[in-house]
Amino acid sequence: MISRIFLGGMFLLSLGLVACSDKTAAGDGGVTDGKDDDGGPGGDWGPFDGGSLSPCAGPADCSEPTICFNGFCVEVVPDPDCVPGDEDHCQNDSYCDPEQGGCLPWEVRPEPEPRCEHIPPEGEFTPVEEWVWQNPQQAPEWDEVMMTPVVIDLEDQAAPGVYAVPAVIFNSFRKQGGYSQDGVLRALRGDTGAEIFSITDEAQRTHPVSNIAAGDIDGDGRPEIVTGKSGGRDLICFEADGSFKWATTGGQLVVGWGGPAIANLDGQGPAEIVMGAAVIDAQGQVLWSKTGSRGEQPGTATAAPFSVPVDVDDDGDMEIVTGDVLYDHLGTELWNTGNGDGFVAVANFNLSEQPEIVVVSRGAVRLQTSTTGEILWLRTAAELNARPECDPNCGLLGPPTVADFDGDGKPEIGVAGADVYLVLDGVGGDVLWSVPTRDSSSNITGSAVFDFEGDRRAEVVYADEVALWVLRGSDGRQLYRQPHSSLTACEYPVIADVDSDGNAEIIIAQNSLLEDAPEKFKGIRVFGDSQDNWVSSRRIWNQHSYHVTNVEENGAIPTREPANWLDPDLNNFRQNVQGGGLFDAPDLTVRGQGTRADACVSQGIVLYALVVNRGLQTVAPGLPVSFYRGDPRLGGSYLGTVRTTKVLAPGQSEQLTFLWPDPPANQPTEIFVVVDDEGWDAAGNHPAGIHSECREHNNIGSFDDVTCIPET
């Protein structure tokens, strides 16, 4: 992560570990429209033609001081500091070429180029709150949340290299009315928390503690939202804009604290919705419903089914996995062990073609085959309760999470209990580590995992009654603890790139119902890394039983869902993964293009600069670009800041204008422009840049001999 510090007038750069490169074609970097938004008085001064490079076939085609290089006439800017291996030195959107003895325009850079990557420094884990939702404008009393939020793009725009802000969707309730009925479904913008819609119609109320599944069930290109209907005995479905689509009736579907899952069970036509031991089609018609196991924890005070649809036998049709029954897609029991229902997860622990099923049931954890349900190992409640953290016992235990916690290439199992978080070895079931927590209210909460540093070791993200925890996956060491409050049901925090900034965020639901919570919170909070070091993630987490391959990033449901457990980069459950390249980063450059100085004494000088993204990661609008009179590294004076207005995908650019309103007359001045630079704030501070880049020293450009010559 870059930090910029001014000491004694010197502009210093402090860098983390960086490896670099990027990819744009020679001659790229054309101008896109843009204009000043806060650079002083004036308006749209029109574009500036920065010119283009002249092609050449040989030295005779170029006149001094230019040379023919890589098919273009270019001028080498001599620089004695340009040495082999220097990828981060030149200014004005150029690069260092030691053989030529200086800097050349970026457009003529030969291939191949090293990748543009930013590798986060290990051990630096510094989350910061990015936004909070707790004072809704619509239905303001419905401000409590006690379920797992989902993250999904409601506009069908998400795609690699495309900037799209997903939504955070959840059920809310009012404290006075309780969480057993009368919920309000809400959707918020992932970058700001601004409300997109709130369903306040009393006829369309949701079950506050029911979880949500979101995805394109009817093939119209936009996702639908399915959750429990008020009272928890039916499902209700909404379109992407919040309009009502359908609801089941009759109360035959048990939802409660559980949640649906979306999948294309037969590999043809629209997707289906699986709710426990029932299947509903895209129009809301119940296709079949059973009274047997539903993928829920026995012994709870309320229903909480979370069955999982996957194709465990690779026959092209999906099965519905519960704790002791495997149904085919038509509802026929393929096997029934009689060992008792439970919360489930599916992964490959024995490196075979078929996965195993993790079952959490009545305080015990077991692993069983997916072919017959045969138990491979069992950790009984008595064994787990003997651990010192489990006093008087571990509780019922919540839905399991599967990930490679310790970086050994094999999946482990994480479960949360009453006052403990446990990680078990996936092969033999031995407890690898456990840490004390606090969740005596429900003791069936879930958890999520994510590899924030890209070191192939997953961190645990868990919220109990009073704290949000981030624990190191290898040994449970506390990396972060944030005060939090929830009476708890089956909820857990989720991880996704919720603002489409190229970095993962943590999204957590909160409520103030816990009477003895040291600090009380409510609503939704989003945390990101203060140093911009967390690696990228997908912009989606669409259901409680999320496992990456169950949904495309734009919300489409795969016709044939890939087997998560056969992908060596996955084989996980309730873990998000990186989107695109693991360490892909932007590389922001800027060049001074020219000036407009008509009537400069009365109107000022207009400065034109071209901002270009030479990296591999898309950058959102609002990128700060600051202007200085003189070199800021040598104490140049700050003039002001403008911001980009467009998405900058790799190779894209935007021309910006800045008005210097009061230039001195007849004094030639060198103006410098710095991208990803906030300038000075009102308190005299100089904030760090927004983005961690593969190259941080090439963010500067300049204008030579800028002079205001008064009119005669």
Side-chain angles (χ1 to χ4, degrees), residues 631-651:
D631 192 334
R633 296 165 295 188
L634 302 174
S637 58
Y638 171 62
L639 297 177
T641 301
V642 295
R643 295 180 182 272
T644 58
T645 64
K646 299 182 180 300
V647 175
L648 294 181

Side-chain angles (χ1 to χ4, degrees), residues 586-602:
D587 179 25
L588 302 167
T589 68
V590 63
R591 71 177 71 160
Q593 283 193 299
T595 65
R596 177 177 174 179
D598 303 337
C600 60
V601 173
S602 60

Side-chain angles (χ1 to χ4, degrees), residues 195-408:
E195 293 184 44
I196 300 172
F197 62 73
S198 296
I199 310 302
T200 58
D201 188 334
E202 293 184 5
Q204 298 170 12
R205 291 287 164 85
T206 62
H207 194 57
V209 196
S210 290
N211 290 273
I212 292 170
D216 184 3
I217 63 175
D218 57 9
D220 66 352
R222 299 182 69 188
E224 284 72 38
I225 304 157
V226 185
T227 189
K229 194 176 180 181
S230 181
R233 297 292 301 187
D234 274 298
L235 290 177
I236 186 168
C237 180
F238 300 90
E239 300 281 7
D241 61 1
S243 59
F244 174 77
K245 187 175 181 68
W246 51 255
T248 63
T249 59
Q252 64 176 309
L253 300 179
V254 179
V255 185
W257 291 10
I262 300 173
N264 195 315
L265 298 181
D266 57 4
Q268 53 186 321
E272 289 81 28
I273 299 96
V274 176
M275 185 63 250
V279 171
I280 303 90
D281 70 15
Q283 289 75 45
Q285 300 299 311
V286 178
L287 300 180
W288 57 264
S289 179
K290 302 292 181 178
T291 58
S293 295
R294 300 186 293 242
E296 62 183 338
Q297 176 69 270
T300 56
T302 186
F306 294 106
S307 60
V308 176
V310 289
D311 182 6
V312 297
D313 57 8
D314 195 31
D315 67 350
D317 294 323
M318 302 183 82
E319 289 74 45
I320 290 90
V321 177
T322 70
D324 60 351
V325 175
L326 184 72
Y327 302 96
D328 71 10
H329 71 287
L330 298 175
T332 302
E333 288 190 6
L334 299 178
W335 48 253
N336 187 336
T337 67
N339 292 324
D341 202 4
F343 293 137
V344 296
V346 180
N348 189 339
F349 295 94
N350 295 318
L351 304 180
S352 60
E353 289 296 313
Q354 290 183 311
E356 288 77 43
I357 300 170
V358 182
V359 183
V360 176
S361 181
R362 295 185 183 273
V365 182
R366 67 180 187 257
L367 188 72
Q368 56 194 42
T369 67
S370 60
T371 53
T372 65
E374 175 190 357
I375 295 177
L376 300 175
W377 57 255
L378 169 67
R379 286 292 165 263
T380 66
E383 290 178 279
L384 297 177
N385 291 340
R387 303 193 65 80
E389 298 90 349
C390 295
D391 185 17
N393 56 63
C394 293
L396 292 171
L397 302 179
T401 294
V402 177
D404 183 359
F405 286 81
D406 54 11
D408 66 352

Side-chain angles (χ1 to χ4, degrees), residues 32-35 37-38 157 161-166 189 191-192 497 499-502 539 586 588 611 613 617-625 641-650 652-656 675-678 689-691:
T32 57
D33 291 337
K35 65 178 182 178
D37 61 358
D38 57 2
Q157 295 177 344
V162 176
Y163 177 81
V165 176
R189 279 186 61 94
D191 55 351
T192 64
D497 183 0
D499 54 6
S500 200
D501 67 347
R539 291 168 287 188
L588 302 167
V611 176
N613 181 6
Q617 188 181 84
T618 297
V619 173
L623 183 69
V625 182
T641 301
V642 295
R643 295 180 182 272
T644 58
T645 64
K646 299 182 180 300
V647 175
L648 294 181
Q652 291 186 338
S653 62
E654 181 177 358
Q655 187 181 83
L656 299 179
V675 64
D676 197 24
D677 180 90
E678 296 272 8
I690 297 174
H691 294 279

Side-chain angles (χ1 to χ4, degrees), residues 34 57 71 84 88 194 368 396 444 447 452 522 577 626 660 673 695 706:
D88 191 14
Q368 56 194 42
L396 292 171
I444 54 171
S447 63
F452 289 95
K522 53 189 176 181
V577 294
S626 294
W660 183 16
V673 55
R695 282 176 287 270
V706 177

Side-chain angles (χ1 to χ4, degrees), residues 439-638:
D439 184 25
S440 58
S441 51
S442 79
N443 64 85
I444 54 171
T445 48
S447 63
V449 289
F450 187 72
D451 181 7
F452 289 95
E453 295 178 340
D455 59 1
R456 305 297 180 184
R457 293 174 293 182
E459 285 78 38
V460 179
V461 183
Y462 171 63
D464 60 16
E465 294 174 341
V466 297
L468 167 66
W469 303 84
V470 180
L471 306 172
R472 190 165 65 184
S474 57
D475 57 9
R477 182 173 74 85
Q478 178 182 313
L479 300 176
Y480 179 69
R481 184 183 187 277
Q482 167 69 39
H484 156 76
S485 66
S486 177
L487 190 60
T488 75
C490 298
E491 79 270 22
Y492 62 90
V494 300
I495 299 99
D497 183 0
V498 74
D499 54 6
S500 200
D501 67 347
N503 301 98
E505 284 85 30
I506 299 171
I507 305 97
I508 183 172
Q510 305 181 120
N511 59 81
S512 63
L513 273 62
L514 189 70
E515 291 299 329
D516 64 341
E519 297 182 60
K520 293 190 177 183
F521 303 86
K522 53 189 176 181
I524 298 288
R525 275 201 291 176
V526 172
F527 295 89
D529 184 56
S530 63
Q531 300 185 66
D532 195 41
N533 276 331
W534 293 351
V535 298
S536 64
S537 180
R538 299 179 90 204
R539 291 168 287 188
I540 192 167
W541 190 298
N542 78 312
Q543 59 192 31
H544 197 283
S545 60
Y546 174 74
H547 50 277
V548 180
T549 56
N550 65 284
V551 65
E552 302 292 341
E553 191 163 4
N554 65 357
I557 304 301
T559 302
R560 299 282 184 183
E561 181 180 311
N564 174 291
W565 56 88
L566 294 180
D567 188 329
D569 292 325
L570 296 177
N571 196 19
N572 52 20
F573 207 90
R574 296 188 175 96
Q575 176 183 11
N576 220 345
V577 294
Q578 287 68 34
L582 180 62
F583 301 116
D584 283 357
D587 179 25
L588 302 167
T589 68
V590 63
R591 71 177 71 160
Q593 283 193 299
T595 65
R596 177 177 174 179
D598 303 337
C600 60
V601 173
S602 60
Q603 299 181 19
I605 295 178
V606 179
L607 306 172
Y608 292 84
L610 186 71
V611 176
V612 190
N613 181 6
R614 298 297 185 186
L616 292 176
Q617 188 181 84
T618 297
V619 173
L623 183 69
V625 182
S626 294
F627 291 76
Y628 297 85
R629 183 182 180 187
D631 192 334
R633 296 165 295 188
L634 302 174
S637 58
Y638 171 62

